[in-house]
Structures are given as structure tokens and as C-alpha cells.
Amino acid sequence: MNDTAQHTKGKVSGIIANLVIVQVDGPVAQNEIGFIRHGGAPLMAEVIKIIGDKAYVQVFESTRGLQPGMEVEFAGHLLEATLGPGILSRNYDGLMHDLDTMTGIFLKRGEYTPALDLEKKWSFRPLAQPGSPATAGSWLGEVKENNIPHKIMAPFKLEGQYTIQSLAAPGDYTVTETIAVLADSRGNEVPVAMAQQWPVKRAVKAYRNKPRPFKLLETGVRTIDTLNPIVEGGTGFIPGPFGSGKTVMQHAISKQAEADIVVVAACGERANEVVELFTEFPELDDPWTGRKLMERTTIIANTSNMPVAAREASVYTAMTIAEYYRSMGLKVLLLADSTSRWAQALREMSNRMEELPGPDAFPMDLPAIISNFYSRAGIVFLSNGQTGSITFIGTVSPAGGNLKEPVTESTKKVARCFYALSQQRADSKRYPAIDPIESYSKYLEYPELQKTLNEQIAPDWVNRVEELKNILLRGKEASEQINILGDDGVSVDTHLVFWRSEVIDSIILQQDAFDEVDARSPMKRQKYMVDKVLEVAATELSFGSYEEVNPFFKRVIAALRQMNYSEFESEKFKKYEEELRQILGERKTS
Amino acid sequence: METRAFQRIYTKIEEITKATCTVRASGVGYEELAMVAGREAQVVKIMGDQVTLQVFAGTEGIPTNAEVVFMGKAPTLKVGDALAGRFFNAYGQPIDDGPAVEGEEREIGGPSVNPVRRKQPSELITTGIAGIDLNNTLVTGQKIPFFADPDQPFNQVMAMVALRAKADKIILGGIGLTNDDYLFFRNVFENAGALHRIVSFVNTTEDPPVERLLVPDMALTAAEYFAVEKNEKVLALLTDMTLYADALSIVSNRMDQIPSKDSMPGSLYSDLAKLYEKAVQFEAGGSITIIAVTTLSGGDITHAIPDNTGYITEGQLFLRRDTEVGKVIVDPFRSLSRLKQLVIGKKTRADHPQVMNAAVRLYADAANARTKLENGFDLTDYDERALEFAREYSRQLLAIDVNIDTEKMLETAWELFARYFSQAEVGIKQEFMDQYWQEE
Ligand SMILES: Nc1ncnc2c1ncn2[C@@H]1O[C@H](COP(=O)(O)OP(=O)(O)OP(=O)(O)O)[C@@H](O)[C@H]1O
Ligand SMILES: [Mg+2]
């Protein structure tokens, strides 16, 4: 937006919850930020509608005590994130204020702490030469942030071609010191510091192009990696009724995924769940680097008791941080729990503004807003040829657990992986409760992914996955038949079909997120176990009557489950494998 | 309340609905408390000089020339140790013939705790009820409701849990409590000699429904005082939150807001979350644990009130009458304590998680067998054994009248496993089998 030369002022004229109407004395822009003076504290707000000289703003704070006549000052810019070294390991609120540097036990209105440490000196190393061309996002230098090569880039806000005029010598600098001067074609100089601002609701476009994703992003969760894989730069969503395991699933992914950077947006959910991350991540190891998880993680916490308008902002803040790190050529994983809360925040505002409601009283443009957000994810080729990616997985909390509702339906149109959590599976403690039949990964149909999977895991891997799915599907049909006709109303073969799928369900699909060993299953181990269960399924067995089938398979499953609980290829693991061989031997027809 | 010099008084009301009235006034703050014809009211909307007030006791009989006095502050509660042992109404005024409480005046519905200042809940709450301690262990700083049919003994169970929980303070928020239940709580607490550690805020069915909106905030403001200032373990009981939500819908309806699902306001999730998220474990040792009741209509948990509650709380507890054994049990299928994994197997014996899961799985097998039986199919030997196990499990562990410690619960479960099943059927980690399996 164009900076309004002197900033417009206004006065509060109406208040309904966190919607405030401001009488303005000059130009204001849609989505411009303003500050309402309430006692000593300026309360941050965002313009969401303008009619004549009235600006409707949503206040990112409680409006208790606000009065008509209070002064408002507009800032001349949109809601922005501050980007620079020092974002990792930090805990922010939805507007990117550092929660740790705030004072006191309770949040105070208007206490806006800076996103970055302004004192800290970073050891800067130039990556470019004076005289070289630069555009938005060009890598000018590098600092080490928690051992991650953090690129210092030409500001994303630049438009057109620039030349590097000068570049700071290697040395220690704060994020606000000038480390480069760029000049446009007419010689206008732009000083560049390590920290830059970017309006969060706008996508960072500093890349060359966005190809289709083609590479597996390993999560260590079998039902995802094996059955419905997510990819680097992919999008997925996890809808499910309350208590079905969305958060546990996201936490597992955030701990185990093969990512350089993880950004977690806790969006309108429980504070205790965020505390779990705060507490555990500094202690837990990143399985890929052996360093502490917190070193690669940033948490954006707008818990359900924090201001509703900031909840909407929190997902954008998180996405902007993800885009920043993607531009450095890093693999970023972005998780948001729950996108429904964000949609509800939009609904609350739209309601207060008395807009014509769409389905379930959500705003009419909800599908567009959701699709716009998901489209910011993806793998990109940067202008220097490097790749970076944002893989985005959001949870959805459908009202009443019914997937026929606006947020689920709008998300389904844009997200390519669908991990439907089933109430029934959760009730019978078959965790993770991802329904194997309803769920899908569209990426599995991409020839480019099929190719990399077959190269990386096994030459006919995709066929094996298909086979697993077929067995599961046939097992479901068999179970329905058994339910209708009774155990003795169907053939022994039908029982076998059912129990083979039970083996896959128990050993591949089910996974104990709270068991140290079972929680994370690397791809190599997943392949081993998939081969194992397929071998069981392919073994010809003979039974005298159906009554022998159930106890036999229970033993098979018990042995396999003990394998899942044992260190891969350990003595214990091999012992149970041998036990399995013997059990199978009892009934094997040779 | 006496009027003071700075208070602004208006006498021209322009609009009156069942729950609100609108007056022309200036210098009024949002959410400010006012008295309209002597009744408490709160500012819910300001448009220029038009101020809309929600009158908690309803507007019946209020004339257009009634006196409207603005108090210059949001609703408050005076907090202090003197709250202990006292009974108050929704406005925090004594209803027990005792004197008014002196203390620091605090606005209710205050700010949220900075999430980084919270501590991860890790302290177990024992209740002696196996349906809770064994299967759905509660932890300090947790928030969990009973999802109950109106005819179930939820208030009795809640009182029992509260008394056994070893809390420093119990804060009762009675929201549309029947007079009988109010007296029940009073009696139980009195008989247990626990009155000195109980603070009650009660709105009964005889009181105006919109007043109910104040009760949880009053109760939680008192809870915060004891947890923050005194580092006490506080247990807040909120019953019945469904009536709180109903009061919200009355107000939003009067204000012509577009309702979302089940005629509830679109902000229901945020409104409820603001209360439940007051549950917290502090670094310094104080904590607030919330046990609430959400009554269901016709057992429907997809209704907006239980649904939104379920998305906010850390699990839920269901009561059910087990007709096989004729006892009320804590339903092992539908109940869930989300924080249990923070303590089970850590603060309790290492086999706890596996024993719990195995028992519930076997209980589920029994439920399947029962379905088979009802559909006229033959039962296998395994089915028969599962059914027998389920009966004993229900009687000796799930029933709410059982009162034993966790160790004993685990022993009982192992005993039942060995009596009815083989090791392979139970399917627990071998090292626990070796240690605890009791050969018959
Ligand atoms: N993989 C798993 N292994 C073991 N237990 C699990 C697993 N997933 C979920 N659970 C159990 O289910 C409970 C609820 O899971 P979770 O908190 O992830 O649900 P949710 O879908 O996020 O619910 P909400 O919508 O209310 O936030 C957990 O506390 C845990 O007890
Ligand atoms: Mg969750």
C-alpha cells in the first residue's frame, strides 16, 4: 500500500464486542493497522470495512472499558510480520509478539514485545559481491541460527531489478544494522538490514516457479507414509470430531517429520497443548539431526482464550514465517490446529458486521479465503535454482463431527491429502484413528511421486501399497458379511479375509504415539513390516473350523505387535519374528 | 449499592426488550456495570451515544423513566480469605446471612494467563473411583465435564469427587441449580466438615436465567485468587454449563444476532473456551482444575453445546447405568481424560496404561458378544468368557460406589484377566505379564 504521508487519526464512535467503529479524519486503507488509545496502552486493531468516514476495525484485544471519543491513530501499513534471524525457538502470540519477554503471569493489553532480539549480534558472512544484481529474496549473506544456515535476503518488498552497491564485511551485526545497500536502475539507494517487514496476508512471491510436488516427506507415521503419503510442498488436512486424535497426530508429525524448520500455529485450541510443546520440545531430539527439536521450531500460540481477531491473524503470521524460511531454500513444515477456529473467528466478525451469511452463518467468501491460504504452500524453485518447500497440514474440527459442513468441504477442494479421523476407530482405541478407506493422498497418483517412491523404497512399492489397500477393503466387506450372517453363516475363507485385514490394521495402521519405540517408524522399518504383513496375508493356512481362526490370528497379531514395540532388528525384535514364524508354521499348508 | 458523586445518572430509556434496554448516555465504557431501576446491568453495545445494556434480572416492569446509574467499572468481586465457607448469589452478594466480604475488588472475566507462564499439569487427582482413576485419570489444571442426562446422579458424583480430591479450596458455581440440589451440596459439604474450604456462587432455577452468565466468572475469579495469591490447589465445580449456554443464546437472540447451529450464538466456542481455559497449573504450585456438568438432551452429543464443549475440554466423563449389574458406572467407551498420559505409568505403576487399555478392549469384545447374542447368533467360548469378565469388571471396578486406591485397581484387573483369559488374549507387553500375571 502507499504510505499515507501523515497518518490518519480518528475517534471511537461505536463498540460491539471486539468490533469498533471509528470516525476518521482522512484516508484509511482496507486492512490498515490502527491503535486505539486506552489509558496508557495502545490497542492494536485492523480495518475490515470502510463506509464513508467510518472505519470498522477489529480489535486484537479485549475492548472492555473502551469509550466513544477515544483516539485512534492509523499506522499507514497493513498487519506485518518482522522477519529476521532469531525467529526459531521462539514462542509468539498470533501477532508475532514474543510471549517470553512479556512481563507477569497474565497477558496485559497493549503489551507488544518485539519479535526479534534487537540487541543480539549475529555473525554475518556475505554471500554475494558488490556489483551483482539482486531482486526480492536474493541471498546477500548468511548467519547461523541454531546451526541452520539462515540466509539474509534482499527485502521481499522490493520490486524490479537492483544492483548491490555495497555489502558489509564479515562480522557481528544486530538485526537493525545496515548490512547492504542496493540501488535501483536510477541509482536510488535502499539500505538493507537483516530484519525486514512483510504484510502477513499477502503471499511472498520471491521465487521462480512452483512445480508439482514429487518427493516424499517422511513423518514416521505408518498410516501416512505408507498408505497415503504427504510430500515436500504438499497440502493435507485432518478433519475429525473432538477427541479423535487430530492434535496427537499433528504433534507426532511435528516431532518426527523430515523437515528443516517446523512452524506450529496453535490456533484457538487448548493452552495446555501448547504448554506440552513448550515443555517437551527443548528436551526432545530431532530424529534427523540429533539436535533439540526446539531449535528447528517456532510456535505461534493463539490459544482459545486469547483474542479472537488475533486468532485469524495467527495462521497468516505462521504462513509468512514459513515463506521466509522457504525462501532460504529450506524444507518447512507448517501445522495449524485448528483451521476451524480461524474460520469461526471470521464468522464472529462477519456476524457482528451484519453481513449476509453463507452456509452455517460462515462468511460467503470462506471457500476463497481457505483456498487462498492453502495455495501459499508448495515446493518452489528459487531464482538461484535452489528448492525450498512449505508442507502444510491443517486440522479441521467439524461441528458435530459431520463432514458436510463449510470448513471441511472448502478445505477438501484445495488440500490434496485427506486424513479423515473416524469416531468409531477412536472409540475402539484404534489409534491413529485415520479411516484407511475414506482417506486419500492425491499425490500417490502423481507419476513423479510414484517414481521417487519406487526408487527410494522398493521397485514395486506403489503396487504393494495398492495391495494393502485392497486387503483392507476386502476385509471390511468380509466383516460386514460376518455381522449380517453370523460367524457360522460364512465360510472359513471369509474369516480369513477379515483377519488378514485385521493384521494390517493392527500392525501397519495402528501405532502407539505414546510408546517410545512405536511412535516413530522410519521408512526402512515401515517397508520391513509391510513386507512382513503381506507375507502373512499371502501364507496359505488351513483351519478345521472358523472357531480356530480368531485365536490363531490373535497370536499372530500379538507377535507382530511385540515386534512393533521392539527396537528395529534388535534381539527382541528377532525373537518375536521367530515366534511369528513358528505360529504361522502350525497352520501353513505347504 | 450506594450512589456516589461521580456516577452518571440517566432517566430516559429509549428502547426495552426482554433482556436489554437502550439509553442515551456519554462517557460510558464497554462492559461497564450499571444499575437500571436498581437491577444490575452491563453494557453490551455502544453506538455513538446510544448505550445498550443487558439487564441480568430481566426488564419486566422497568419503565422508560427508570434511573440508569453507571458504575464506572466492569462487574467485580471482592476477594480475600474471608470468601471461604461462604455462599453468594450471581452478583457475589452473600445469601447465607453472613456479612459482606471485605477484600480487594477484582473485575471478573479478567485477562488470560500467558501460555508460557503455565506449567504442564503433572499432579494426579485421586478419587477412588476406578472409572476415573484407572481409566480416565484426572490431573490438576485439567478441565473436564460430565456429559450427563438430566436424570443421572452427576451432582452426587461430582460432590464425591470434590471431597475426595484433596483440594485446598472447592469453588462451586451453581448455574440454574434446583433448590434441592443446592441444599444437597450444602449438606454434603457441611457433613463432611469441609465447609471452611468451600466457596459457592449459586443461581438457582428460581433466579432469572440471564444472571447465570455471571456465575462462572465469579467462581473463577475467586478460584484465581486462591490459586495465584495463595498457591492453592483449587477445584472449581460448574454445574450445569448447558444452562449457561442457554443464557448466552437468550441474550444474543435479543440482540438480533444471527444464530449458528442449534440457535446458539456463533461465538459459543470462544465464550465457553474463555471460561474453561481458566483451568491452569501455575509454576508456583497453585492450580485450577475445572469439573463441569453439561447436560444433554436425549443423549445427543452432536448438539452445539456438548459439541463445542468437547472441543474445548480435556476429555469428558459419561455415566451409564449398567443393567447387567444394576449399578451406575463411568462408561469406559465414551469417557476420556486427555491428560491421563501425563501421569499414568509415570506417577502410577508402569503397567497402568497397558492394563487400562487391555481391560477396555476386552470389555469391548464383551459388548460385541452381547450384540451377537441379541441378534440371535451363537456365542463362542471366548465370547462367553468376555461376557463374564465384563460383568465382574463392571461390578468390581467401573461402578461409582467402588472406593479403592489405584494399586488395588490394577491388582483387581490382573486378577480378572487371569481368571477369564489367556496371556495371548490379553496382549500386554511381556515384561508386565512376567511380573503381574497371576496363574490361577
Ligand atoms: N496415536 C494415538 N495413540 C494413543 N492415544 C491416542 C492417539 N491419538 C489420540 N489418542 C488419544 O485420544 C485423545 C484425544 O486426542 P487429541 O487431543 O489429538 O484429539 P483431537 O482430535 O485433537 O480433539 P479436539 O478436537 O477436541 O482437539 C488423546 O488425549 C489420547 O488419549
Ligand atoms: Mg485437538
Side-chain angles (χ1 to χ4, degrees):
Chain A
M1 73 183 272
N2 301 318
D3 243 9
T4 35
Q6 76 252 35
H7 297 157
T8 298
K9 292 199 165 59
K11 280 192 166 36
V12 171
S13 73
I15 308 151
I16 315 165
N18 72 329
L19 175 69
V20 168
I21 301 161
V22 181
Q23 182 90 30
V24 294
D25 68 0
V28 281
Q30 174 72 340
N31 296 111
E32 184 171 348
I33 291 299
F35 291 91
I36 303 173
R37 285 241 153 252
H38 173 258
L43 306 185
M44 199 168 165
E46 179 187 17
V47 177
I48 50 174
K49 180 165 100 174
I50 303 163
I51 299 177
D53 59 358
K54 287 202 162 59
Y56 289 65
V57 304
Q58 57 172 344
V59 186
F60 296 121
E61 302 280 1
S62 152
T63 51
R64 178 176 281 185
L66 285 198
Q67 293 186 8
M70 283 181 168
E71 287 186 14
V72 183
E73 186 163 339
F74 291 89
H77 61 77
L78 308 184
L79 179 60
E80 290 183 331
T82 305
L83 304 169
I87 292 174
L88 296 179
S89 314
R90 230 160 265 250
N91 307 311
Y92 293 117
D93 73 4
L95 306 173
M96 214 177 163
H97 301 120
D98 189 345
L99 287 167
D100 288 284
T101 54
M102 291 178 186
T103 54
I105 291 179
F106 292 94
L107 296 167
K108 285 191 210 62
R109 276 197 288 184
E111 184 178 17
Y112 300 134
T113 52
L116 302 177
D117 185 338
L118 302 174
E119 311 288 317
K120 183 178 164 117
K121 294 208 176 227
W122 296 86
S123 168
F124 172 84
R125 187 169 66 85
L127 287 181
Q129 283 82 41
S132 322
T135 53
S138 291
W139 297 355
L140 304 175
E142 185 179 296
V143 301
K144 279 262 179 293
E145 183 184 13
N146 296 349
N147 217 39
I148 287 160
H150 182 121
K151 302 292 184 290
I152 305 302
M153 295 171 277
F156 296 146
K157 281 182 181 172
L158 293 185
E159 283 169 23
Q161 292 289 334
Y162 285 76
T163 311
I164 302 177
Q165 202 90 6
S166 66
L167 206 55
D172 296 346
Y173 303 91
T174 66
V175 293
T176 50
E177 281 177 80
T178 301
I179 49 92
V181 176
L182 308 181
D184 68 11
S185 54
R186 276 171 297 167
N188 297 320
E189 294 191 346
V190 183
V192 174
M194 292 199 243
Q196 59 167 313
Q197 311 284 125
W198 182 258
V200 297
K201 289 189 182 166
R202 198 173 290 166
V204 174
K205 287 274 169 64
Y207 51 79
R208 192 185 296 156
N209 64 331
K210 236 186 206 180
R212 295 214 314 178
F214 52 88
K215 240 177 108 189
L216 177 73
L217 182 98
E218 189 181 314
T219 67
V221 178
R222 291 187 289 265
T223 179
I224 296 182
D225 296 350
T226 290
L227 266 87
N228 292 304
I230 182 93
V231 291
E232 273 175 32
T235 51
F237 79 119
I238 312 175
F242 64 77
S244 56
K246 298 181 289 297
T247 305
V248 170
M249 171 74 76
Q250 275 211 337
H251 283 193
I253 297 172
S254 68
K255 288 175 192 163
Q256 302 165 7
E258 187 189 1
D260 300 317
I261 306 290
V262 179
V263 183
V264 181
C267 170
E269 290 286 312
R270 302 171 186 83
N272 278 339
E273 291 172 349
V274 192
V275 174
E276 195 179 318
L277 303 182
F278 294 157
T279 318
E280 293 181 355
F281 275 36
E283 305 297 324
L284 294 176
D285 292 335
D286 172 356
W288 301 92
T289 61
R291 301 180 69 89
K292 294 297 172 216
L293 273 181
M294 202 58 209
E295 293 187 28
R296 67 170 196 182
T297 311
T298 295
I299 297 166
I300 314 292
N302 177 277
T303 56
S304 56
N305 54 342
M306 286 161 84
V308 175
R311 194 193 289 168
E312 189 220 339
S314 68
V315 293
Y316 289 102
T317 302
M319 180 59 92
T320 305
I321 293 173
E323 287 174 330
Y324 178 61
Y325 282 97
R326 174 174 67 184
S327 307
M328 300 176 199
L330 296 170
K331 271 189 280 188
V332 185
L333 173 67
L334 175 62
L335 300 165
D337 186 12
S338 148
T339 60
S340 292
R341 305 301 163 221
W342 153 46
Q344 286 178 341
L346 295 173
R347 174 167 73 184
E348 284 184 33
M349 277 333 283
S350 139
N351 234 268
R352 279 185 199 118
M353 293 200 298
E354 298 176 358
E355 289 176 351
L356 207 59
D360 288 3
F362 281 106
M364 288 299 257
D365 56 350
L366 183 74
I369 294 172
I370 290 178
S371 118
N372 184 281
F373 187 79
Y374 274 81
S375 73
R376 287 172 71 170
I379 187 164
V380 298
F381 285 113
L382 303 171
S383 51
N384 61 8
Q386 305 271 352
T387 60
S389 63
I390 297 173
T391 308
F392 175 57
I393 304 177
T395 66
V396 170
S397 317
N402 180 359
L403 299 190
K404 293 220 170 332
E405 59 90 41
V407 184
T408 314
E409 287 180 334
S410 309
T411 310
K412 205 167 177 184
K413 286 185 196 133
V414 287
R416 312 241 81 195
C417 292
F418 173 60
Y419 302 116
L421 295 180
S422 122
Q423 181 78 63
Q424 212 187 341
R425 282 185 72 86
D427 285 347
S428 51
K429 314 265 185 251
R430 290 179 175 232
Y431 293 120
I434 294 182
D435 185 319
I437 310 228
E438 294 292 310
S439 305
Y440 58 77
S441 162
K442 290 274 179 218
Y443 299 115
L444 208 48
E445 298 161 13
Y446 287 22
E448 49 271 59
L449 178 69
Q450 295 185 345
K451 184 162 164 284
T452 47
L453 286 178
N454 289 344
E455 278 166 14
Q456 188 189 336
I457 308 169
D460 60 341
W461 179 250
V462 178
N463 293 341
R464 289 184 216 180
V465 173
E466 280 314 308
E467 197 180 339
L468 288 176
K469 291 190 173 182
N470 278 334
I471 297 174
L472 285 166
L473 197 59
R474 286 206 303 271
K476 188 173 179 220
E477 290 160 5
S479 128
E480 279 159 10
Q481 276 183 30
I482 297 171
N483 279 340
I484 296 167
L485 302 170
D487 282 335
D488 50 0
V490 298
S491 67
V492 169
D493 270 348
T494 308
H495 283 277
L496 281 175
V497 170
F498 167 69
W499 278 102
R500 283 183 191 124
S501 80
E502 276 294 289
V503 171
I504 294 172
D505 191 325
S506 314
I507 303 308
I508 304 297
L509 302 186
Q510 293 175 44
Q511 190 169 1
D512 188 344
F514 303 116
D515 183 86
E516 241 170 83
V517 177
D518 197 30
R520 171 169 177 262
S521 186
M523 217 51 227
K524 189 168 159 220
R525 181 174 183 150
Q526 292 191 34
K527 172 184 172 289
Y528 194 88
M529 293 310 286
V530 165
D531 288 350
K532 205 87 227 165
V533 297
L534 285 176
E535 184 191 315
V536 171
T539 308
E540 298 280 345
L541 303 166
S542 78
F543 291 93
S545 82
Y546 76 86
E547 278 159 317
E548 296 161 3
V549 179
N550 170 326
F552 175 80
F553 272 97
K554 284 227 163 112
R555 287 168 57 213
V556 169
I557 290 171
L560 279 161
R561 190 173 275 145
Q562 299 292 354
M563 285 173 75
N564 271 348
Y565 280 131
S566 312
E567 281 311 334
F568 188 42
E569 291 175 332
S570 64
E571 281 309 305
K572 227 167 107 195
F573 183 87
K574 289 186 182 135
K575 189 188 110 200
Y576 289 115
E577 191 170 16
E578 173 56 23
E579 196 177 306
L580 173 71
R581 204 185 57 82
Q582 285 177 9
I583 298 171
L584 286 175
E586 292 170 18
R587 296 275 174 187
K588 203 161 161 178
T589 51
S590 43
Chain B
M1 257 173 249
E2 85 268 33
T3 44
R4 274 170 283 175
F6 61 84
Q7 286 167 341
R8 303 163 315 274
I9 302 177
Y10 299 86
T11 52
K12 195 172 177 317
I13 296 178
E14 304 200 330
E15 227 182 275
I16 303 180
T17 72
K18 270 192 184 171
T20 64
C21 65
T22 302
V23 63
R24 261 181 215 281
S26 61
V28 174
Y30 193 69
E31 291 186 358
E32 185 171 335
L33 185 68
M35 302 297 289
V36 178
R39 298 178 204 176
E40 276 89 348
Q42 190 174 12
V43 175
V44 289
K45 181 174 173 180
I46 302 177
M47 275 299 156
D49 61 355
Q50 301 248 39
V51 177
T52 304
L53 292 147
Q54 154 184 308
V55 185
F56 292 108
T59 51
E60 200 181 56
I62 289 185
T64 48
N65 64 350
E67 214 177 57
V68 181
V69 186
F70 289 94
M71 312 301 290
K73 61 183 183 194
T76 58
L77 173 72
K78 282 194 176 151
V79 294
D81 293 349
L83 286 171
R86 302 293 308 276
F87 288 81
F88 304 94
N89 65 11
Y91 306 109
Q93 297 154 346
I95 50 170
D96 55 5
D97 303 325
V101 170
E102 285 311 314
E104 188 200 327
E105 192 171 9
R106 291 244 172 111
E107 289 194 353
I108 65 167
S112 309
V113 174
N114 182 341
V116 301
R117 301 283 178 263
R118 286 170 175 257
K119 196 171 160 258
Q120 188 167 37
S122 63
E123 208 174 317
L124 182 92
I125 297 179
T126 51
T127 68
I129 300 171
I132 295 178
D133 296 2
L134 181 64
N135 290 345
N136 299 291
T137 322
L138 302 183
V139 186
T140 56
Q142 183 169 13
K143 45 198 176 289
I144 192 165
F146 280 96
F147 279 175
D149 293 328
D151 60 345
Q152 287 178 328
F154 49 84
N155 283 334
Q156 283 77 346
V157 177
M158 204 156 79
M160 194 150 84
V161 169
L163 288 173
R164 289 189 196 159
K166 303 192 188 84
D168 297 320
K169 286 286 175 312
I170 299 167
I171 318 279
L172 173 67
I175 308 156
L177 220 49
T178 62
N179 197 50
D180 292 1
D181 281 342
Y182 163 52
L183 295 175
F184 162 79
F185 275 112
R186 250 186 112 134
N187 278 336
V188 177
F189 292 155
E190 210 166 325
N191 291 343
L195 266 190
H196 62 283
R197 49 189 187 101
I198 291 173
V199 188
S200 304
F201 296 88
V202 177
N203 158 289
T204 66
T205 42
E206 291 158 31
D207 300 322
V210 180
E211 279 181 16
R212 289 169 195 163
L213 293 180
L214 292 166
V215 174
D217 274 326
M218 284 287 171
L220 293 165
T221 303
E224 258 174 8
Y225 167 75
F226 289 109
V228 176
E229 237 90 326
K230 305 283 158 183
N231 296 330
E232 292 190 344
K233 273 198 277 179
V234 182
L235 184 60
L237 310 176
L238 302 175
T239 169
D240 167 359
M241 286 297 282
T242 296
L243 298 178
Y244 173 82
D246 285 341
L248 283 176
S249 75
I250 294 175
V251 174
S252 81
N253 188 274
R254 301 279 185 262
M255 293 187 55
D256 295 325
Q257 283 171 6
I258 309 153
S260 63
K261 198 166 169 277
D262 299 315
S263 332
M264 284 291 144
S267 59
L268 181 63
Y269 176 83
S270 305
D271 295 335
L272 292 176
K274 220 170 277 157
L275 299 174
Y276 282 117
E277 282 294 333
K278 292 274 178 193
V280 58
Q281 175 73 55
F282 290 109
E283 290 280 354
S287 64
I288 300 175
T289 308
I290 300 179
I291 301 184
V293 168
T294 300
T295 50
L296 308 176
S297 67
D300 179 14
I301 63 157
T302 64
H303 182 282
I305 300 172
D307 186 48
N308 279 285
T309 304
Y311 276 120
I312 293 163
T313 53
E314 285 143 348
Q316 59 282 326
L317 299 167
F318 282 91
L319 299 177
R320 177 161 67 82
R321 174 162 291 279
D322 185 337
T323 46
E324 293 270 316
V325 295
K327 284 178 184 248
V328 175
I329 63 168
V330 179
D331 189 332
F333 295 147
R334 303 200 290 161
S335 305
L336 173 69
S337 159
R338 308 255 190 121
L339 300 190
K340 66 179 179 228
Q341 49 259 20
L342 296 174
V343 292
I344 59 172
K346 296 175 185 152
K347 300 280 160 106
T348 63
R349 230 167 66 181
D351 58 326
H352 185 162
Q354 295 233 341
V355 170
M356 164 191 86
N357 285 331
V360 175
R361 198 173 57 240
L362 295 166
Y363 193 70
D365 286 346
N368 288 339
R370 203 164 297 123
T371 314
K372 264 190 184 171
L373 198 62
E374 282 158 10
N375 293 341
F377 296 128
D378 291 340
L379 295 186
T380 63
D381 162 60
Y382 178 82
D383 292 335
E384 301 280 5
R385 286 183 285 126
L387 283 174
E388 279 175 50
F389 164 79
R391 261 189 295 276
E392 284 315 304
Y393 179 57
S394 230
R395 198 190 324 263
Q396 296 185 36
L397 285 170
L398 296 182
I400 54 167
D401 56 6
V402 175
N403 182 9
I404 50 179
D405 65 27
T406 314
E407 193 100 352
K408 182 84 179 98
M409 292 170 193
L410 291 169
E411 290 304 322
T412 310
W414 279 108
E415 198 182 302
L416 296 178
F417 289 160
R419 194 184 311 162
Y420 299 106
F421 301 107
S422 70
Q423 290 201 358
E425 284 165 338
V426 173
I428 287 178
K429 260 193 194 172
Q430 198 55 45
E431 50 247 57
F432 294 133
M433 290 283 195
D434 296 342
Q435 198 174 350
Y436 297 111
W437 187 261
Q438 310 166 354
E439 273 317 326
E440 293 272 293

